[in-house]
Amino acid sequence: MLGVLVTFTQTDKFDRATLANIAGELRGPFEGMPSLRFKSFMLDEDGVRARNFYMWDDEEKGRAFFTEEIVNKVTGIYGVPPKIEYLDVVGFVDNSGT
């Protein structure tokens, strides 16, 4: 499994309501996306970093998703370019079915 942490850092705080709207508008294309186990939209406590976390069942598909076109698109949405980190997921706990 592949984890991908995408971080957008601003000098000013992100507006939580604006990020919630972005999450609501962008969730549709990810629902049912092949190989994507889940995606989360997050805001750090200090408010200067918005983070999105993806977990992919297929590493190749996960890496292929983050094209230059996608990076340019999200830079426009968030107003700053992202830092993308690829992580090897060696295990996780899923309590969603309980």
Side-chain angles (χ1 to χ4, degrees):
M1 275 194 233
L2 177 72
V4 183
L5 181 61
V6 180
T7 304
F8 303 90
T9 304
Q10 290 194 152
T11 53
D12 295 327
K13 289 185 175 189
F14 280 100
D15 178 67
R16 188 183 190 290
T18 299
L19 290 180
N21 286 336
I22 289 170
E25 291 172 7
L26 296 182
R27 75 177 288 145
F30 293 102
E31 292 176 338
M33 183 178 280
S35 189
L36 180 64
R37 169 98 31 130
F38 66 79
K39 177 185 189 308
S40 61
F41 298 85
M42 303 174 289
L43 179 62
D44 280 2
E45 276 188 306
D46 61 10
V48 299
R49 283 180 301 279
R51 293 184 173 174
N52 297 337
F53 184 73
Y54 302 73
M55 187 176 297
W56 298 88
D57 289 324
D58 183 299
E59 180 177 349
E60 190 175 309
K61 287 182 181 178
R63 287 182 181 273
F65 176 77
F66 296 95
T67 63
E68 184 177 343
E69 180 182 343
I70 289 291
V71 170
N72 289 337
K73 181 177 179 177
V74 297
T75 297
I77 292 169
Y78 286 88
V80 291
K83 175 183 177 186
I84 300 173
E85 299 173 76
Y86 297 97
L87 308 163
D88 181 11
V89 178
V90 297
F92 75 99
V93 175
D94 181 359
N95 291 326
S96 62
T98 59

